């Protein structure tokens, strides 16, 4: 039986029913739906809008329903229209007329807007915890190999020497910004839409501040039309989640490169790698590749939300039911990626000898060689040119800046002396830059 059965003379067509239903997606919000209803009913009875004993009966039965769903003794009917309907109907079946008073002064439109906010608030906390774990894993990994020197790259060409720790710190900084973005979106979302009704509030003397505070909101939404039709918070969060996936995909791309025999800067633990069905020698960084690939899903979710909301007239439209699949998928994906990456990073071994070997090639101390001439009084542009000539000489003769003689240095620029060797030592280059 539909909530709206009175106006209709026929049951919904089976296909219509299935198409219209969102129970498969919104069941996961059952706890938030019940918490919202308990706050609503507490307010209704406090304000004398429904009899106190009905309020108490509703709240007690809702709490029971929540426990039963949690422990699996009450199964959610997959044919129900949505979770709101299922819970209200179950309540009314159990306590009769009192249950029918729950929806006084409320609409599913403000109810669903509330449930999603409550649900996403917890999801923000879960993602925040996981990001913090990844930050910790990355900084511990950096500390474990605090002395490892590797080439820093621009254009994927060896550029200047850095430490592995400095490289990983770039990611902890990105992830710290991600924490800020999630916290910021969560704060803006933390305003209660309950009391917005279908779109134009209600004629009952409800207390919106009371329900907002019972549910831990900082405020309640000022415009009732906006309260039911705003999904900015989903878009903001999907956008913050997309940026997280950009960061994870960059980290994973580097790990994939570093695992290749061309680099071999790191070795993933066997527990976080996979083999090939045909090539016995293979050990593949599938986890990192999958995280890189899953970034596509999350960007898709963001695009879904933007497209669903674009051009929608006020206030609630059924289009908005599509919001949950997208934002839930984005959170699920980011959480599983973070959760898998943390142990993969913690167990990853670095190979500092290979990093050092790579750092020794490619003239990555050429800038420091030029800086040495600058310290002797030469203008930087001239120092740059002289060092460029030295690099060309090395390439011609199969040498490195370390193996050139002082005479060879002097042939290019008189200002060189034996001090140049200390100046271009990779350890010193890294130290001088505080890398
Ligand atoms: N399942 C709906 C959703 O997710 C709940 C709101 C339904 N409201 C309505 N007027 N049909 O958006």
């Amino acid at each position: 039986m539909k909530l709206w059965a009175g106006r209709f003379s026929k049951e919904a067509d089976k296909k219509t029913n299935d198409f219209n239903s969102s129970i498969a997606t919104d069941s996961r919000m059952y706890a938030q739906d019940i918490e919202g209803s308990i706050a609503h009913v507490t307010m209704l009875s406090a304000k004398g809008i429904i009899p106190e004993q009905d309020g108490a009966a509703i709240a007690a039965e809702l709490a029971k329903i929540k426990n039963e769903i949690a422990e699996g003794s009450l199964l959610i009917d997959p044919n129900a229209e949505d979770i709101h309907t299922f819970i209200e109907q179950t309540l009314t079946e159990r306590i009769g007329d009192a249950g029918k008073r729950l929806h006084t002064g409320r609409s599913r439109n403000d109810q669903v807007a509330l449930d999603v906010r409550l649900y996403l608030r917890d999801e923000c906390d879960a993602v925040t915890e996981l990001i913090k774990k990844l930050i910790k894993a990355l900084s511990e990994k950096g500390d474990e190999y605090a002395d490892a020197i590797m080439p820093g790259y621009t254009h994927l060409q060896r550029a200047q020497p850095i430490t592995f720790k400095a490289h990983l710190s770039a990611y902890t900084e990105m992830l710290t910004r991600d924490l800020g973005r999630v916290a910021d979106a969560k704060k803006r979302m933390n305003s209660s839409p309950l009391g917005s009704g279908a779109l134009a509030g209600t004629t009952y003397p409800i207390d919106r501040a009371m329900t907002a505070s019972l549910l831990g909101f900082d405020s309640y939404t000022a415009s009732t039309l906006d309260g039911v039709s705003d999904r900015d918070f989903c878009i903001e969060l999907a956008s913050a989640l997309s940026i997280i996936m950009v960061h994870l995909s960059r980290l994973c791309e580097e790990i994939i490169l570093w695992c290749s025999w061309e680099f071999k800067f790191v070795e993933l633990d066997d527990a976080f790698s996979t083999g090939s069905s045909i090539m016995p020698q293979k050990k593949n960084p599938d986890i990192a590749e999958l995280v890189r690939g899953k970034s596509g899903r999350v960007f898709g979710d963001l695009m879904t939300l933007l497209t669903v909301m674009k051009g929608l007239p006020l206030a609630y439209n059924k289009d908005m039911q599509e919001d949950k699949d997208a934002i839930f998928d984005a959170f699920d994906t980011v959480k599983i990626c973070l959760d898998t990456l943390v142990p993969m990073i913690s167990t990853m071994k670095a190979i500092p000898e290979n990093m050092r070997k790579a750092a020794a090639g490619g003239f990555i101390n050429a800038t420091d060689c030029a800086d040495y001439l600058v310290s002797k009084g030469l203008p930087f542009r001239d120092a740059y040119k002289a060092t460029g000539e030295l690099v060309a000489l090395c390439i011609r003769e199969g040498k490195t800046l370390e193996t050139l003689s002082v005479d060879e240095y002097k042939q290019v620029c008189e200002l060189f002396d034996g001090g140049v060797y200390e100046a271009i030592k990779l350890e010193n280059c890294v130290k001088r830059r505080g890398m």
Side-chain angles (χ1 to χ4, degrees):
M1 176 84 137
K2 290 281 172 287
L3 287 175
W4 26 267
R7 159 81 172 77
F8 290 77
S9 55
K10 277 186 189 170
E11 280 290 305
D13 168 72
K14 165 91 176 95
K15 280 203 180 88
T16 301
N17 197 55
D18 293 348
F19 184 66
N20 192 50
S21 166
S22 56
I23 192 84
T25 302
D26 55 33
S27 288
R28 62 160 92 188
M29 302 191 303
Y30 77 88
Q32 288 77 11
D33 192 74
I34 289 175
E35 282 152 28
S37 290
I38 291 177
H40 180 64
V41 92
T42 305
M43 179 277 292
L44 290 180
S45 70
K47 299 297 289 180
I49 300 170
I50 62 167
E52 230 169 78
Q53 71 269 29
D54 283 356
I58 294 172
E61 197 58 39
L62 283 174
K64 249 193 242 161
I65 292 176
K66 187 169 131 188
N67 284 341
E68 288 174 31
I69 297 178
E71 71 196 12
S73 56
L74 173 62
L75 297 178
I76 295 172
D77 175 8
N79 295 313
E81 188 180 339
D82 53 33
I83 192 65
H84 329 294
T85 312
F86 173 74
I87 289 170
E88 192 185 327
Q89 276 174 348
T90 307
L91 177 75
T92 304
E93 274 162 25
R94 290 182 178 193
I95 64 168
D97 278 355
K100 295 189 202 157
R101 298 195 201 279
L102 166 63
H103 214 52
T104 313
R106 185 175 74 167
S107 155
R108 273 186 303 165
N109 296 350
D110 57 349
Q111 189 178 356
V112 71
L114 172 74
D115 292 3
V116 179
R117 285 175 198 241
L118 289 174
Y119 184 85
L120 296 183
R121 223 166 54 176
D122 293 344
E123 289 290 90
C124 288
D125 294 343
V127 160
T128 296
E129 280 318 299
L130 288 167
I131 296 175
K132 285 184 182 163
K133 282 189 185 159
L134 184 57
I135 291 177
K136 184 161 177 276
L138 286 165
S139 52
E140 283 174 359
K141 196 50 56 177
D143 290 342
E144 193 181 329
Y145 297 99
D147 301 329
I149 293 178
M150 64 178 279
Y153 297 84
T154 63
H155 313 271
L156 209 53
Q157 302 285 320
R158 291 171 188 164
Q160 286 170 343
I162 58 170
T163 57
F164 184 51
K165 185 175 157 70
H167 198 113
L168 295 184
S169 305
Y171 285 102
T172 61
E173 190 134 336
M174 294 179 216
L175 292 166
T176 304
R177 286 197 298 276
D178 291 326
L179 286 177
R181 264 184 286 270
V182 171
D184 186 48
K186 181 185 168 195
K187 192 164 173 33
R188 217 181 339 276
M189 173 176 71
N190 203 28
S191 183
S192 171
L194 194 58
S196 299
L199 77 163
T202 172
T203 54
Y204 297 97
I206 60 168
D207 184 345
R208 295 192 63 195
M210 180 179 173
T211 45
S213 116
L214 284 173
L215 293 165
F217 285 105
D218 299 327
S219 59
Y220 58 88
T221 57
S223 156
T224 55
L225 275 87
D226 186 49
V228 290
S229 63
D230 167 35
R231 293 294 183 275
D232 289 3
F233 55 94
C234 294
I235 298 173
E236 276 190 56
L237 285 169
S239 155
L241 295 173
S242 294
I243 299 174
I244 294 173
M245 290 307 290
V246 169
H247 295 157
L248 299 189
S249 75
R250 295 181 75 174
L251 173 62
C252 287
E253 168 66 8
E254 299 215 278
I255 291 173
I256 293 161
L257 282 174
W258 294 343
C259 284
S260 73
W261 281 105
E262 281 68 18
F263 282 82
K264 260 297 166 249
F265 287 180
V266 299
E267 173 97 36
L268 293 179
D269 193 89
D270 279 3
F272 297 94
S273 315
T274 50
S276 153
S277 63
I278 173 172
M279 298 166 283
Q281 84 284 11
K282 289 297 283 290
K283 179 170 166 184
N284 297 326
D286 282 29
I287 300 305
E289 291 169 50
L290 211 44
V291 170
R292 189 178 56 181
K294 281 186 188 291
S295 57
R297 291 178 73 108
V298 179
F299 305 164
D301 293 328
L302 171 61
M303 207 43 67
T304 298
L305 287 163
L306 287 168
T307 313
V308 164
M309 295 310 294
K310 178 197 170 292
L312 269 192
L314 294 177
Y316 178 85
N317 297 271
K318 187 76 167 187
D319 313 44
M320 288 156 65
Q321 180 164 287
E322 291 293 310
D323 61 353
K324 285 171 282 304
D325 268 330
I327 192 64
F328 293 171
D329 181 71
F331 269 105
D332 291 349
T333 306
V334 168
K335 283 192 302 180
I336 199 167
C337 288
L338 287 166
D339 207 21
T340 315
L341 278 182
V342 170
M344 189 190 89
I345 297 288
S346 300
T347 53
M348 179 176 85
K349 288 206 164 53
I351 310 175
E353 311 83 77
N354 291 348
M355 294 180 181
R356 187 69 173 74
K357 232 182 278 161
F363 308 101
I364 64 177
N365 45 7
T367 315
D368 300 84
C369 181
D371 288 343
Y372 179 70
L373 287 179
V374 171
S375 77
K376 299 272 175 198
L378 202 64
F380 179 75
R381 270 294 149 235
D382 297 336
Y384 173 97
K385 182 162 175 280
T387 308
E389 284 170 28
L390 284 167
V391 169
L393 174 78
C394 287
I395 292 171
R396 268 198 317 276
E397 314 221 327
K399 293 187 167 174
T400 66
L401 291 174
E402 287 85 348
T403 57
L404 285 179
S405 67
V406 176
D407 274 354
E408 284 168 311
Y409 270 110
K410 280 193 178 297
Q411 270 165 33
V412 173
C413 178
E414 270 298 316
L415 292 171
F416 276 116
D417 57 32
V420 69
Y421 298 111
E422 273 302 302
I424 62 168
K425 223 182 185 175
L426 297 186
E427 284 70 16
N428 294 336
C429 301
V430 163
K431 229 178 272 155
R432 269 199 303 274
R433 293 197 163 82
M435 294 306 284

